[in-house]
Amino acid sequence: MKHITCIEDLRLLHKRRVPKAFFDYADRGSYAEETLRANRDDLQNIKFRQRILVDVSKRDLSTTILGEPSAMPLVLAPVGLLGMQHGDGEIHACRAAQAAGIPFTQSTMSICSIEDIAGSVEKPFWFQLYVMKDRGFIKELVERAIAAKCTALCLTVDLQVIGQRHQDIKNGMSVPPEWTLSKLFDFATKPAWVSGVLQGKRRTFGNIAGHVKNTEDLTKLSAWTAAQFDTSLNWKDVDWIRSIWPGKLIIKGIHDIEDAKLAAETGAQALVVSNHGGRQLDGAPSSIHVLPGIAEAVGDKIEIMFDGGIRSGQDVMRALALGAKSCMLGRAYAYGLGAGGQAGVAKAIDIIRNELLTTMGLCGVNTVAEIDRKVVAS
């Protein structure tokens, strides 16, 4: 990790070390990937005001997220299949986040189970929930998160219809992987990845295994999962989740002002402005494009978090300037995980931290609370 200077370095190393199907799963978006590209392009089009002769000797990244202290305004977002980027990937990512003093969010579609992570880390973490057709199973998942002492539930609401990801189809993406000649060759050239995954606790969806009958039949397990995403999901389901979850609730996948207003009325503590990383509705505007309007409409009623295209500390600064209180990091830390396990995730966090500190200094800002529209060029 000594010569890694930026998130793109981690991305390229991830690409070399992890089989193509799993790298593409993390890296690519839906359909023509217009929204995927817009998330990055629109962030980079926001320019800063460079300020001089301001005392910035006491810069401090510490803040609060959902009322809890955090070392910086950053959260590791829920990312599915981390255990296929690196053996026990969810555990390693959670450990890196906790060592850095920031929250980690486990995905419903993780390889390690809730219990696997809870038994392997020192502190509670957040759990991300997809509401599936089998409401009994969802209630059971929530109860498991409560038993694991998860401190927040992140309810993702933008995946009731799944956007097609062309590259996953071309790669024959599946969990566990399909065994084809090309994949066998790909795996054979990545022995460290193979060894790590084989030594991991699991190689299928840990939170679902054991619920479906005959879970040793992985084809049946995958078919059950694919059929469970619920097109009838609506605001009443949010009320139901609120009734069974006693802790802090985050609604992830808000991308419209009207939806943001409805989310603010649910009793949730936070919402995440997100288009699922350009993996769902292609042709939707970037997350940073819609952030200011949502922040202005409901920022005084509910905590605003941001997700979509963060690859640098400068990107975090941009999102904070336009109304977010904190940011979720997704692909950037997945690249780190694939590149170097826990050390790679720690490196990704460290890159973001140092870039944000430097950017604050060059913009004449000492604290996270001072970051607002005044730091960006008009």
Side-chain angles (χ1 to χ4, degrees), residues 59-63 70-73 353-354 356-357 360 366 368:
R59 282 164 290 148
D60 181 7
L61 293 182
S62 63
T63 187
S70 182
M72 60 188 298
R353 177 195 296 111
N354 291 335
L356 180 55
L357 271 173
M360 287 171 60
N366 278 293
V368 171

Side-chain angles (χ1 to χ4, degrees), residues 209-223:
H211 174 73
V212 184
K213 292 181 180 179
N214 300 318
T215 52
E216 67 277 3
D217 185 335
L218 295 169
T219 301
K220 290 183 179 179
L221 181 60
S222 296

